[in-house]
Amino acid sequence: MLNAIEISPDIWWVGGIDWNERSFHGYSTERGITYNAYLILDEKVTLIDTAKSSFTDEFIQRIKQVVDPSKIEVIIANHIEMDHSGSIPAILELAPNAKVYASAPAGVNELRAHFGLDVEGVKTGDTLNIGKRTLSFLQTPFVHWPDNMLTYSEADKILFSNDCFGQHFATTKRFDDEVDTCELFRQAKKYYANIVLPYGAQAQKALKAAAALDIRLIATSHGCCWRSHIDEIVAKYQAWSTYQTENKAVVVFDSMWHSTERMAREITDAFIAEDISAVLLDVKATHISDVILEMMDARYVAVGSPTLNSNMLPTVAGFLTYMRGLAPNNSHRVGLAFGSYGWAPLGPKQVYDELERAKFQLPVPAITQQWIPSEESLAELQATVRKIIAEQA
Ligand code: FEO
């Protein structure tokens, strides 16, 4: 029988740990995933969220450690994406009289569409008394589906935040101060960059609403709960959701016979020479979700591709497509397209067009190099980049 963990008096973590999941919709989850669900033992036994359907057994075993599942009277679905709602049908088989609550109208409609369930809709400001506790609801649409909401227990000062403040980080530890802080914040940042990034304005609204609450513990639906670093993670969300950048450069490229790679190295060196921290990422070696992680707070982004069959390389196109979907606000970011070619500079020009569509500041046209760059052309490239940096000062 798998163990539940009491995270606060009468509140138990009953989730699942997906140690070996390595992809969430194309986002590389090198540290695995957890699906956090919480059981509140009050006059009405209440379950907040469930787990992915492949973790139903694990989830129910943990519940059974604490209470007979048939005693569950309230199920709150903070989010209908199936990593959280996937075990609702199974728990309803065990607790057929439980009432399901979700945000109205999106959550109600989605639960009906997914599982044909009859659901009670709640909106921001609605409350639900479960005995000693009164839970209140706060809708946070598009952080990260239209149905998302937060549930707050004033008696416990716990915010059940679902995806918000989550990390894809499989661990036996349930709290932020029990794990490596660097890794925790890295995974929180990667999660924001790859899940929440398109919804900065909505995240801002959620932060403003949450700021009015007295919070002792943020119980997320993924990774660790926040109890010792609440101010820091809220400050990070504030920075990320307002697209703040640092004086940092990301140089991302793919190369065929190393000409574009040589250009990428020269560009990186130009940033170093101007005292700007830079990372050089070959998309053959670095997953695009890690490129986005690096790029999210970078002031400069240089993207390079040679020409292959009249196009940019598919690896670079894949990265740019992924980036466009995440819709980062690039208007305050400097972009640079570059790359080599044999007989037609179409690859780097396509990169330029994509950066233009993504609304980067583009101070110079695509920098192209026929065949192999000479020392002189590399020096000229470095001078161009250093001039761009100087003009930004
Ligand atoms: Fe963790 Fe949007 O699901």
Side-chain angles (χ1 to χ4, degrees):
M1 183 80 75
L2 296 170
N3 294 308
I5 297 171
E6 192 170 30
I7 62 158
S8 189
D10 289 331
I11 301 182
W12 293 78
W13 174 85
V14 289
I17 306 179
D18 200 349
W19 293 99
N20 295 299
E21 181 60 80
R22 289 293 175 266
S23 174
F24 185 82
H25 309 160
Y27 152 15
S28 71
T29 53
E30 69 276 2
R31 295 299 300 259
I33 294 179
T34 72
Y35 313 108
N36 299 340
Y38 301 96
L39 190 66
I40 305 177
L41 301 185
D42 208 320
E43 286 166 30
K44 289 183 178 174
V45 176
T46 297
L47 181 63
I48 298 185
D49 293 317
T50 68
K52 188 175 169 180
S53 60
S54 49
F55 280 76
T56 297
D57 287 350
E58 180 166 334
F59 160 67
I60 287 174
Q61 279 190 47
R62 293 192 204 277
I63 291 174
K64 284 180 174 170
Q65 277 267 314
V66 181
V67 73
D68 175 352
S70 69
K71 297 198 183 321
I72 295 171
E73 290 185 59
V74 173
I75 299 170
I76 294 168
N78 273 333
H79 180 25
I80 315 307
E81 191 163 15
M82 286 77 87
D83 47 338
H84 310 292
S85 69
S87 297
I88 291 178
I91 203 74
L92 280 174
E93 280 182 26
L94 298 172
N97 297 319
K99 195 164 182 180
V100 182
Y101 295 82
S103 70
V108 172
N109 293 337
E110 289 172 35
L111 272 179
R112 192 177 295 134
H114 281 78
F115 307 115
L117 296 180
D118 192 21
V119 178
E120 178 85 17
V122 292
K123 293 195 168 187
T124 294
D126 287 351
T127 59
L128 177 67
N129 182 268
I130 58 170
K132 286 182 284 186
R133 295 170 176 81
T134 296
L135 304 177
S136 56
F137 304 105
L138 174 60
Q139 291 172 294
T140 53
F142 288 102
V143 189
H144 99 282
W145 273 17
D147 56 78
N148 278 81
M149 66 175 189
L150 316 177
T151 298
Y152 177 63
S153 172
E154 189 174 9
D156 306 287
K157 300 192 189 325
I158 297 180
L159 181 67
F160 297 93
S161 67
N162 197 269
D163 279 344
C164 203
F165 305 118
Q167 331 93 48
H168 281 331
F169 189 7
T171 164
T172 55
K173 304 298 184 186
R174 300 274 56 88
F175 295 104
D176 56 352
D177 48 28
E178 297 178 313
V179 298
D180 178 79
T181 310
C182 247
E183 183 65 12
L184 176 77
F185 276 94
R186 183 180 190 279
Q187 292 302 336
K189 184 177 178 185
K190 184 170 179 178
Y191 187 91
Y192 188 96
N194 287 279
I195 300 283
V196 189
L197 187 58
Y199 310 113
Q202 292 88 343
Q204 273 286 298
K205 280 187 197 160
L207 284 176
K208 282 197 178 81
L213 304 174
D214 184 6
I215 299 171
R216 176 178 67 83
L217 179 68
I218 298 175
T220 62
S221 65
H222 295 297
C224 294
C225 297
W226 301 91
R227 66 179 177 189
S228 295
H229 298 285
I230 291 176
D231 289 348
E232 292 101 307
I233 189 62
V234 169
K236 291 287 185 193
Y237 262 60
Q238 180 63 27
W240 298 334
S241 62
T242 50
Y243 306 100
Q244 291 176 25
T245 58
E246 295 176 8
N247 206 21
K248 162 186 168 184
V250 172
V251 181
V252 52
F253 74 99
D254 196 354
S255 195
M256 293 161 66
W257 293 103
H258 305 293
S259 290
T260 299
E261 181 178 354
R262 290 185 69 184
M263 297 174 79
R265 289 184 183 283
E266 203 70 26
I267 291 167
T268 305
D269 220 58
F271 285 112
I272 296 169
E274 295 296 328
D275 206 20
I276 292 172
S277 73
V279 287
L280 176 64
L281 303 172
D282 181 341
V283 282
K284 286 193 297 298
T286 303
H287 194 273
I288 54 177
S289 57
D290 288 310
V291 179
I292 293 291
L293 162 68
E294 291 290 351
M295 183 191 137
M296 184 166 75
D297 54 5
R299 174 87 176 91
Y300 301 90
V301 178
V303 183
S305 173
T307 302
L308 173 72
N309 299 329
S310 304
N311 279 285
M312 63 178 135
L313 284 172
T315 44
V316 177
F319 160 67
L320 290 169
T321 301
Y322 187 69
M323 180 197 71
R324 197 169 63 240
L326 290 167
N329 183 342
N330 296 316
S331 58
H332 56 308
R333 217 191 296 273
V334 176
L336 176 68
F338 66 96
S340 64
Y341 65 98
W343 48 97
L346 298 172
K349 287 187 175 170
Q350 281 185 351
V351 171
Y352 181 93
D353 291 345
E354 283 298 315
L355 295 183
E356 192 171 44
R357 272 176 79 184
K359 298 190 167 48
F360 280 85
Q361 295 172 26
L362 293 165
V364 297
I367 300 175
T368 63
Q369 170 65 55
Q370 190 169 26
W371 302 120
I372 295 167
S374 64
E375 285 306 318
E376 292 72 27
S377 62
L378 289 173
E380 195 180 322
L381 170 59
Q382 180 155 165
T384 299
V385 177
R386 293 181 70 168
K387 183 162 178 282
I388 290 170
I389 297 165
E391 285 168 356
Q392 298 298 316

PDB file of all heavy atoms in Angstrom, residues 279-294:
ATOM      1  N   VAL A 279      24.872  31.910 -23.737  1.00  0.00           N
ATOM      2  CA  VAL A 279      24.901  30.454 -23.857  1.00  0.00           C
ATOM      3  C   VAL A 279      24.787  30.106 -25.336  1.00  0.00           C
ATOM      4  O   VAL A 279      24.061  30.754 -26.092  1.00  0.00           O
ATOM      5  CB  VAL A 279      23.770  29.760 -23.065  1.00  0.00           C
ATOM      6  CG1 VAL A 279      24.039  29.817 -21.580  1.00  0.00           C
ATOM      7  CG2 VAL A 279      22.412  30.341 -23.371  1.00  0.00           C
ATOM      8  N   LEU A 280      25.513  29.088 -25.727  1.00  0.00           N
ATOM      9  CA  LEU A 280      25.553  28.628 -27.111  1.00  0.00           C
ATOM     10  C   LEU A 280      24.875  27.257 -27.151  1.00  0.00           C
ATOM     11  O   LEU A 280      25.338  26.311 -26.509  1.00  0.00           O
ATOM     12  CB  LEU A 280      27.014  28.511 -27.550  1.00  0.00           C
ATOM     13  CG  LEU A 280      27.285  27.943 -28.944  1.00  0.00           C
ATOM     14  CD1 LEU A 280      26.717  28.858 -30.016  1.00  0.00           C
ATOM     15  CD2 LEU A 280      28.792  27.778 -29.151  1.00  0.00           C
ATOM     16  N   LEU A 281      23.780  27.168 -27.878  1.00  0.00           N
ATOM     17  CA  LEU A 281      22.975  25.943 -27.847  1.00  0.00           C
ATOM     18  C   LEU A 281      22.777  25.399 -29.257  1.00  0.00           C
ATOM     19  O   LEU A 281      22.168  26.054 -30.111  1.00  0.00           O
ATOM     20  CB  LEU A 281      21.607  26.239 -27.213  1.00  0.00           C
ATOM     21  CG  LEU A 281      21.645  26.828 -25.794  1.00  0.00           C
ATOM     22  CD1 LEU A 281      20.246  27.254 -25.364  1.00  0.00           C
ATOM     23  CD2 LEU A 281      22.231  25.834 -24.810  1.00  0.00           C
ATOM     24  N   ASP A 282      23.289  24.200 -29.474  1.00  0.00           N
ATOM     25  CA  ASP A 282      23.062  23.485 -30.734  1.00  0.00           C
ATOM     26  C   ASP A 282      21.746  22.715 -30.571  1.00  0.00           C
ATOM     27  O   ASP A 282      21.632  21.886 -29.664  1.00  0.00           O
ATOM     28  CB  ASP A 282      24.251  22.543 -30.957  1.00  0.00           C
ATOM     29  CG  ASP A 282      24.138  21.753 -32.252  1.00  0.00           C
ATOM     30  OD1 ASP A 282      23.021  21.635 -32.803  1.00  0.00           O
ATOM     31  OD2 ASP A 282      25.179  21.229 -32.698  1.00  0.00           O
ATOM     32  N   VAL A 283      20.780  22.990 -31.435  1.00  0.00           N
ATOM     33  CA  VAL A 283      19.475  22.330 -31.238  1.00  0.00           C
ATOM     34  C   VAL A 283      19.534  20.828 -31.499  1.00  0.00           C
ATOM     35  O   VAL A 283      18.579  20.119 -31.178  1.00  0.00           O
ATOM     36  CB  VAL A 283      18.332  22.955 -32.095  1.00  0.00           C
ATOM     37  CG1 VAL A 283      17.850  24.239 -31.480  1.00  0.00           C
ATOM     38  CG2 VAL A 283      18.721  23.125 -33.533  1.00  0.00           C
ATOM     39  N   LYS A 284      20.628  20.336 -32.041  1.00  0.00           N
ATOM     40  CA  LYS A 284      20.780  18.873 -32.127  1.00  0.00           C
ATOM     41  C   LYS A 284      21.041  18.280 -30.741  1.00  0.00           C
ATOM     42  O   LYS A 284      20.730  17.129 -30.483  1.00  0.00           O
ATOM     43  CB  LYS A 284      21.948  18.487 -33.052  1.00  0.00           C
ATOM     44  CG  LYS A 284      21.677  18.677 -34.531  1.00  0.00           C
ATOM     45  CD  LYS A 284      22.728  17.992 -35.385  1.00  0.00           C
ATOM     46  CE  LYS A 284      24.125  18.548 -35.212  1.00  0.00           C
ATOM     47  NZ  LYS A 284      24.287  19.963 -35.581  1.00  0.00           N
ATOM     48  N   ALA A 285      21.657  19.095 -29.897  1.00  0.00           N
ATOM     49  CA  ALA A 285      22.078  18.587 -28.579  1.00  0.00           C
ATOM     50  C   ALA A 285      21.215  19.086 -27.440  1.00  0.00           C
ATOM     51  O   ALA A 285      21.220  18.494 -26.357  1.00  0.00           O
ATOM     52  CB  ALA A 285      23.537  18.998 -28.322  1.00  0.00           C
ATOM     53  N   THR A 286      20.498  20.168 -27.655  1.00  0.00           N
ATOM     54  CA  THR A 286      19.715  20.765 -26.570  1.00  0.00           C
ATOM     55  C   THR A 286      18.241  20.736 -26.954  1.00  0.00           C
ATOM     56  O   THR A 286      17.859  21.198 -28.035  1.00  0.00           O
ATOM     57  CB  THR A 286      20.159  22.228 -26.342  1.00  0.00           C
ATOM     58  OG1 THR A 286      21.556  22.242 -26.063  1.00  0.00           O
ATOM     59  CG2 THR A 286      19.403  22.851 -25.176  1.00  0.00           C
ATOM     60  N   HIS A 287      17.422  20.209 -26.066  1.00  0.00           N
ATOM     61  CA  HIS A 287      15.994  20.119 -26.374  1.00  0.00           C
ATOM     62  C   HIS A 287      15.386  21.518 -26.482  1.00  0.00           C
ATOM     63  O   HIS A 287      15.775  22.435 -25.743  1.00  0.00           O
ATOM     64  CB  HIS A 287      15.272  19.335 -25.267  1.00  0.00           C
ATOM     65  CG  HIS A 287      13.906  18.909 -25.661  1.00  0.00           C
ATOM     66  ND1 HIS A 287      12.796  19.726 -25.487  1.00  0.00           N
ATOM     67  CD2 HIS A 287      13.455  17.782 -26.255  1.00  0.00           C
ATOM     68  CE1 HIS A 287      11.721  19.098 -25.943  1.00  0.00           C
ATOM     69  NE2 HIS A 287      12.098  17.910 -26.416  1.00  0.00           N
ATOM     70  N   ILE A 288      14.434  21.681 -27.387  1.00  0.00           N
ATOM     71  CA  ILE A 288      13.867  23.016 -27.617  1.00  0.00           C
ATOM     72  C   ILE A 288      13.210  23.585 -26.357  1.00  0.00           C
ATOM     73  O   ILE A 288      13.181  24.804 -26.180  1.00  0.00           O
ATOM     74  CB  ILE A 288      12.871  23.017 -28.808  1.00  0.00           C
ATOM     75  CG1 ILE A 288      11.777  21.957 -28.646  1.00  0.00           C
ATOM     76  CG2 ILE A 288      13.616  22.839 -30.110  1.00  0.00           C
ATOM     77  CD1 ILE A 288      10.747  21.989 -29.763  1.00  0.00           C
ATOM     78  N   SER A 289      12.715  22.725 -25.484  1.00  0.00           N
ATOM     79  CA  SER A 289      12.104  23.258 -24.259  1.00  0.00           C
ATOM     80  C   SER A 289      13.178  23.821 -23.324  1.00  0.00           C
ATOM     81  O   SER A 289      12.888  24.714 -22.512  1.00  0.00           O
ATOM     82  CB  SER A 289      11.262  22.194 -23.549  1.00  0.00           C
ATOM     83  OG  SER A 289      12.018  21.054 -23.251  1.00  0.00           O
ATOM     84  N   ASP A 290      14.414  23.333 -23.450  1.00  0.00           N
ATOM     85  CA  ASP A 290      15.509  23.921 -22.669  1.00  0.00           C
ATOM     86  C   ASP A 290      16.008  25.205 -23.317  1.00  0.00           C
ATOM     87  O   ASP A 290      16.486  26.113 -22.627  1.00  0.00           O
ATOM     88  CB  ASP A 290      16.652  22.913 -22.511  1.00  0.00           C
ATOM     89  CG  ASP A 290      16.276  21.804 -21.549  1.00  0.00           C
ATOM     90  OD1 ASP A 290      15.801  22.115 -20.441  1.00  0.00           O
ATOM     91  OD2 ASP A 290      16.423  20.618 -21.912  1.00  0.00           O
ATOM     92  N   VAL A 291      15.903  25.274 -24.651  1.00  0.00           N
ATOM     93  CA  VAL A 291      16.257  26.539 -25.312  1.00  0.00           C
ATOM     94  C   VAL A 291      15.292  27.635 -24.849  1.00  0.00           C
ATOM     95  O   VAL A 291      15.703  28.759 -24.524  1.00  0.00           O
ATOM     96  CB  VAL A 291      16.219  26.399 -26.851  1.00  0.00           C
ATOM     97  CG1 VAL A 291      16.571  27.734 -27.510  1.00  0.00           C
ATOM     98  CG2 VAL A 291      17.174  25.304 -27.331  1.00  0.00           C
ATOM     99  N   ILE A 292      14.002  27.302 -24.786  1.00  0.00           N
ATOM    100  CA  ILE A 292      13.007  28.286 -24.333  1.00  0.00           C
ATOM    101  C   ILE A 292      13.284  28.710 -22.896  1.00  0.00           C
ATOM    102  O   ILE A 292      13.171  29.882 -22.542  1.00  0.00           O
ATOM    103  CB  ILE A 292      11.576  27.704 -24.462  1.00  0.00           C
ATOM    104  CG1 ILE A 292      11.211  27.493 -25.934  1.00  0.00           C
ATOM    105  CG2 ILE A 292      10.551  28.600 -23.761  1.00  0.00           C
ATOM    106  CD1 ILE A 292      11.029  28.767 -26.728  1.00  0.00           C
ATOM    107  N   LEU A 293      13.656  27.749 -22.071  1.00  0.00           N
ATOM    108  CA  LEU A 293      14.013  28.058 -20.682  1.00  0.00           C
ATOM    109  C   LEU A 293      15.120  29.113 -20.644  1.00  0.00           C
ATOM    110  O   LEU A 293      15.038  30.097 -19.904  1.00  0.00           O
ATOM    111  CB  LEU A 293      14.475  26.776 -19.984  1.00  0.00           C
ATOM    112  CG  LEU A 293      15.281  26.905 -18.697  1.00  0.00           C
ATOM    113  CD1 LEU A 293      14.421  27.450 -17.572  1.00  0.00           C
ATOM    114  CD2 LEU A 293      15.881  25.572 -18.299  1.00  0.00           C
ATOM    115  N   GLU A 294      16.153  28.915 -21.463  1.00  0.00           N
ATOM    116  CA  GLU A 294      17.269  29.873 -21.482  1.00  0.00           C
ATOM    117  C   GLU A 294      16.843  31.203 -22.079  1.00  0.00           C
ATOM    118  O   GLU A 294      17.304  32.272 -21.685  1.00  0.00           O
ATOM    119  CB  GLU A 294      18.442  29.301 -22.295  1.00  0.00           C
ATOM    120  CG  GLU A 294      19.134  28.128 -21.643  1.00  0.00           C
ATOM    121  CD  GLU A 294      19.931  28.526 -20.406  1.00  0.00           C
ATOM    122  OE1 GLU A 294      20.093  29.737 -20.142  1.00  0.00           O
ATOM    123  OE2 GLU A 294      20.377  27.619 -19.683  1.00  0.00           O
TER     124      GLU A 294
END
